[in-house]
Amino acid sequence: MASCTVASPLCTWLVAACMSMPCEKNESKSSSSSSSYCSLFQSKKKRLNRWARRIGGSGGVDFPYKRLVSAFYGSGFQGLMSSCLAFEPCEEYYSSKGLSSSLALFGDNGFSLFGSKTTSSNGLMNRRQRRLNRAAHAGKTMAVALQPAQGTPTKKPVTKQRRVVVTGTGVVTPLGHESDVFYNNLLEGVSGVAEIEAFDCSQFPTRIAGEIKSFSTDGWVAAKLSKRADKFMLYMLTAGKKALADGGISEELMNELDKSRCGVLIGSAMGGMKVFNDAIEALRVSYRKMNPFCVPFATTNMGSAMLAMDLGWMGPNYSISTACATSNFCIINAANHIIRGEADMMLCGGSDAAIIPIGLGGFVACRALSQRNSDPTKASRPWDISRDGFVMGEGAGVLLLEELEHAKKRGAKIYAEFLGGSITSDAYHMTEPHPEGTGVVLCIEKALAQSGVSREDVNYINAHATSTQAGDIKEYQALIRCFGQNPELKVNSTKSMIGHLLGAAGAVEAVATVQAIRTGWVHPNVNLENPEEGVDMNVLVGPRKEKLDIKVALSNSFGFGGHNSCILFAPYK
């Protein structure tokens, strides 16, 4: 308590003393005025020293303010100025009459550092009132001292915006583990949805998924790690390294990169569910049976961290988890690191592997999944009137984003340019979209404004459309509100062929969007046999691929919790 009661008046007196001394702006003041300041300062200094010695005691007690006063005064007034304040007095102090006017700030309610004044005819203030006054006046003094000078607005220096381009892509999907193979299958309308084979799901009402049937980490991930790590991590590591290879980052070039300016930002909605579930089962026997890596291998950040460790990339490294909007959030933030000059290269995207009993069971309990088990390839049918829920999928998608000049300097092949993106919240419901589509419209408008893109220039949209009753139509209505006047607009849903890859969906669909820009072809909407009432088939892509000269492409991702995200790509020019 003693230290609290002393600190406030001491610091306020020192601030007032510092603020009242002449400086460069006051050099024209008379020498007599400066002399009076110094005389008063020396007088106060002596009194404060005596006070410090008295309260310090002689019994060996190391009172902190004894040291503080010595530190401030030991090197003279210049030391005091440099120790106390790192800012200049404001205009109010320059126009003041000196120390006396500064001390007046303390005295208007009867407070004085070296004694007490009467506040009324009733006598001295009580101790509590003095304590409150000390704190109040200290705050008032600092507020005045820190008030910015009027009439001198600061301007942020104009800097040239750093452009971000896509120079590599990598995927692990139910339709192939190479970007070209994956997109060619999409163009042909091939479905990756089939019966689940990884475990016995005969007791579940849903027994289908966009499951990865064959996958190998050979040549991409160390064998020891492959045996221990969760699939979401293995998918991520593999897709990430494939994006580097696709971007022409050879081992020789890797050694030449400034790794402090290379980062990894790949997220996951569900994380290592299999590792965590296995740990729970082992715990039923004994904690001694648990995998010692169960915690780190289950956390959503660890895949991104492991990839950075493997590559030695020391730039920004973390993950974001926003349910099914995860990938887009990661892509937007990765691009922003490049734009702000914090990195030159970023691997970004998402990965999920939740097709296990607890994952399937959880979504069945939500009543979110299609039960069209007899005809798996027809189960995912965005905008079709007979849709009955989404189909789970798994995999990973990774983009290699790079600063334009950095990419040009190394001779990289540029696939597309990232123009910008936006994120908003519905702030409405855990799983249902806003009935008016307010959050989605706001997200699209913010993305257009942030990137400086005219809505007339957007002529291709890779929609989030998951094949749910409410989600599909609400997104479609939002798109029509924003782009309905564009006769060239074409919209499709990659989920119609691979299902919903949860946290990886946005990144895999971003790869599909980039491939559409590269090839000039947009893939079909399969299973759209009887469109929902009010859906215009002139806007939606038909059952076959369509040629399209893409000006600007928009890719949407929305997630449980009301997370909305939009990203924009365009051909590099």
Side-chain angles (χ1 to χ4, degrees), residues 107-112 115-126 129-130 133:
D108 56 1
N109 281 332
F111 174 73
S112 172
S116 298
K117 291 185 180 181
T118 56
T119 56
S120 67
S121 58
N122 293 332
L124 300 176
M125 294 184 297
N126 61 39
Q129 187 61 45
R130 288 199 302 272
N133 281 344

Side-chain angles (χ1 to χ4, degrees), residues 378-391:
K378 300 288 186 180
S380 184
R381 42 199 316 115
W383 300 297
D384 190 83
I385 198 168
S386 62
R387 64 191 184 280
D388 66 333
F390 77 84
V391 176

Side-chain angles (χ1 to χ4, degrees), residues 199 230-232 235 270-271 273-274 352-361 363 392-395 502:
F199 60 93
D230 191 276
K231 279 187 177 180
F232 99 95
Y235 293 162
M270 311 298 287
M273 293 187 70
K274 178 69 164 55
D352 260 319
I355 303 177
I356 60 174
I358 191 172
L360 179 65
F363 282 108
M392 287 182 69
E394 63 178 350
L502 309 178

Side-chain angles (χ1 to χ4, degrees), residues 304-320:
S304 190
M306 292 295 289
L307 182 54
M309 293 176 204
D310 198 348
L311 302 175
W313 284 16
M314 300 174 67
N317 174 231
Y318 57 101
S319 68
I320 297 172

Side-chain angles (χ1 to χ4, degrees), residues 248-262 311-313 344-345 402 406-407 409-411:
I249 306 297
S250 62
E251 185 174 349
E252 181 181 356
L253 182 56
M254 180 72 78
N255 294 330
E256 296 176 0
L257 293 175
D258 181 355
K259 295 184 179 180
S260 67
R261 298 187 58 79
C262 300
L311 302 175
W313 284 16
D344 294 325
M345 301 179 75
E402 194 166 352
H406 188 274
K409 186 176 180 180
R410 71 177 185 87

Side-chain angles (χ1 to χ4, degrees), residues 100-235:
S100 58
S101 63
S102 296
L103 290 177
L105 289 170
F106 299 89
D108 56 1
N109 281 332
F111 174 73
S112 172
L113 179 64
F114 297 102
S116 298
K117 291 185 180 181
T118 56
T119 56
S120 67
S121 58
N122 293 332
L124 300 176
M125 294 184 297
N126 61 39
R127 182 177 299 176
R128 178 173 178 177
Q129 187 61 45
R130 288 199 302 272
R131 214 175 273 159
L132 292 173
N133 281 344
R134 288 167 184 165
H137 289 302
K140 185 187 293 185
T141 304
M142 292 305 293
V144 172
L146 293 171
Q147 183 179 357
Q150 298 297 321
T152 56
T154 58
K155 289 185 177 180
K156 186 177 179 180
V158 178
T159 56
K160 185 178 180 181
Q161 173 105 357
R162 285 161 58 93
R163 296 170 67 182
V164 180
V165 293
V166 181
T167 56
T169 63
V171 296
V172 175
T173 77
L175 285 182
H177 309 328
E178 302 294 337
S179 296
D180 290 340
V181 173
F182 160 67
Y183 196 65
N184 285 335
N185 281 327
L186 287 177
L187 292 177
E188 296 304 316
V190 177
S191 176
V193 179
E195 292 185 6
I196 296 172
E197 298 177 1
F199 60 93
D200 180 10
C201 56
S202 58
Q203 301 304 311
F204 288 87
T206 294
R207 298 182 291 278
I208 56 175
E211 184 183 39
I212 294 175
K213 305 298 186 183
S214 60
F215 172 70
S216 173
T217 60
D218 291 348
W220 302 106
V221 183
K224 192 172 185 180
L225 180 61
S226 295
K227 294 178 181 179
R228 293 177 171 176
D230 191 276
K231 279 187 177 180
F232 99 95
M233 187 183 294
L234 300 180
Y235 293 162

